[in-house]
């Protein structure tokens, strides 16, 4: 008998040292970033603006419409970071909807203002699931400038997203297991957060929110 997925849990493609997150960009930003292996390679990428990254492949597909939603999300990039850098971001986070006892905490501003949201998770067919997926908002300014230096590898996974949509459209009954065998769905596993202070900042153990 399988164990129910916790309401707030980080699931990601990760190795013992790295973790993969996703964000979608327009063609000029994505092409320059992949070529130079740097998000700031294109002058169109502004470190003064907030950018959102997410570890869930399915949620990235949902957010960008498999890369077809609009021109500014037409290229999906997989961004590899070290565990240490990812945990640094989380330790500087503030949840958008905080618990009553946290509302007076101004630590987010002092620690960099990384924004945390827990949105309803999706599967790769865009069905809403009964638990949440973390989204991480990198604020413009010094934190964003530091974050872009944390990205160790940039890979364009747009073709994978579009091929996945093609397969689902042509074979609506296809299972996630088959899609994984085809290399279209990554093997996302739990990324454990053991530090109690970080868990508190992320609101991971707050009561389940009413839908």
């Amino acid at each position: 008998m399988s164990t129910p997925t916790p309401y707030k849990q980080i699931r990601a493609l990760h190795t013992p040292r790295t973790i993969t997150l996703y964000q979608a960009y327009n063609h000029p930003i994505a092409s320059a970033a992949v070529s130079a292996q740097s998000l700031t390679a294109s002058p169109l990428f502004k470190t003064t603006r907030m950018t959102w990254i997410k570890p869930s492949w399915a949620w990235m597909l949902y957010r960008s419409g498999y890369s077809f939603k609009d021109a500014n999300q037409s290229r999906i990039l997989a961004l590899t970071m070290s565990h240490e850098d990812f945990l640094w971001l989380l330790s500087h986070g503030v949840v958008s909807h905080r618990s009553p006892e946290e509302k007076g905490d101004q630590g987010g501003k002092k620690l960099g203002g990384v924004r945390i949201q827990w949105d309803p998770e999706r599967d790769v067919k865009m069905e809403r699931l009964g638990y949440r997926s973390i989204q991480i908002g990198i604020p413009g300014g010094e934190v964003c400038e530091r974050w872009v230096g944390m990205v160790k590898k940039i890979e364009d996974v747009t073709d994978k997203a579009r091929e996945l949509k093609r397969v689902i459209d042509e074979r609506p009954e296809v299972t996630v297991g088959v899609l994984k065998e085809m290399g279209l769905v990554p093997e996302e596993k739990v990324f454990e957060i053991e530090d109690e202070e970080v868990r508190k900042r992320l609101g991971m153990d707050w009561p389940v929110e009413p839908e």
Side-chain angles (χ1 to χ4, degrees), residues 2-208:
S2 61
T3 303
T5 301
Y7 188 64
K8 291 179 180 176
Q9 178 190 69
I10 298 176
R11 298 165 299 278
L13 175 63
H14 62 91
T15 71
R17 295 184 178 181
T18 65
I19 182 169
T20 299
L21 299 106
Y22 303 97
Q23 179 56 306
Y25 299 96
N26 60 36
H27 283 293
I29 289 177
S31 294
V34 172
S35 178
Q37 288 295 289
S38 172
L39 287 170
T40 57
S42 169
L44 295 177
F45 183 91
K46 305 296 184 182
T47 57
T48 54
R49 298 181 61 183
M50 175 171 277
T51 188
W52 289 87
I53 55 176
K54 59 278 295 175
S56 168
W57 174 235
W59 213 94
M60 182 72 262
L61 298 176
Y62 169 73
R63 181 68 181 84
S64 66
Y66 299 92
S67 81
F68 292 111
K69 187 174 183 179
D70 60 62
N72 284 325
Q73 299 185 77
S74 58
R75 297 275 293 278
I76 301 175
L77 301 184
L79 311 170
T80 300
M81 299 175 60
S82 70
H83 287 195
E84 291 77 14
D85 287 339
F86 180 63
L87 289 170
W88 184 88
L89 288 177
L90 298 184
S91 70
H92 290 68
V94 172
V95 179
S96 296
H97 303 289
R98 292 183 287 176
S99 68
E101 63 270 22
E102 292 290 307
K103 286 183 178 178
D105 175 21
Q106 297 299 311
K109 293 181 180 178
K110 295 178 183 178
L111 292 173
V114 174
R115 186 175 173 186
I116 302 296
Q117 287 187 185
W118 292 94
D119 295 316
E121 180 65 287
R122 305 281 170 160
D123 64 19
V124 294
K125 297 181 181 180
M126 304 298 98
E127 295 296 324
R128 180 169 171 158
L129 302 177
Y131 44 88
R132 298 282 167 144
S133 180
I134 194 170
Q135 322 300 323
I136 303 162
I138 312 296
E142 291 182 7
V143 176
C144 190
E145 290 172 4
R146 178 168 179 172
W147 168 67
V148 295
M150 295 176 176
V151 178
K152 307 304 181 185
K153 179 183 177 182
I154 302 173
E155 179 184 2
D156 189 337
V157 290
T158 310
D159 288 346
K160 181 183 293 186
R162 295 186 175 191
E163 176 63 9
L164 173 58
K165 185 179 189 308
R166 185 192 68 78
V167 172
I168 290 173
D169 287 346
E170 294 182 359
R171 299 165 56 188
E173 77 291 346
V174 68
T175 65
V176 172
V178 170
L179 292 171
K180 286 182 177 180
E181 291 176 0
M182 297 174 70
L184 299 177
V185 175
E187 189 65 49
E188 294 178 350
K189 298 180 180 180
V190 177
F191 186 91
E192 298 288 357
I193 304 296
E194 299 177 352
D195 187 305
E196 289 303 319
E197 286 302 313
V198 174
R199 292 185 65 86
K200 182 179 179 181
R201 293 201 70 84
L202 301 181
M204 296 184 74
D205 301 317
W206 296 352
V208 173

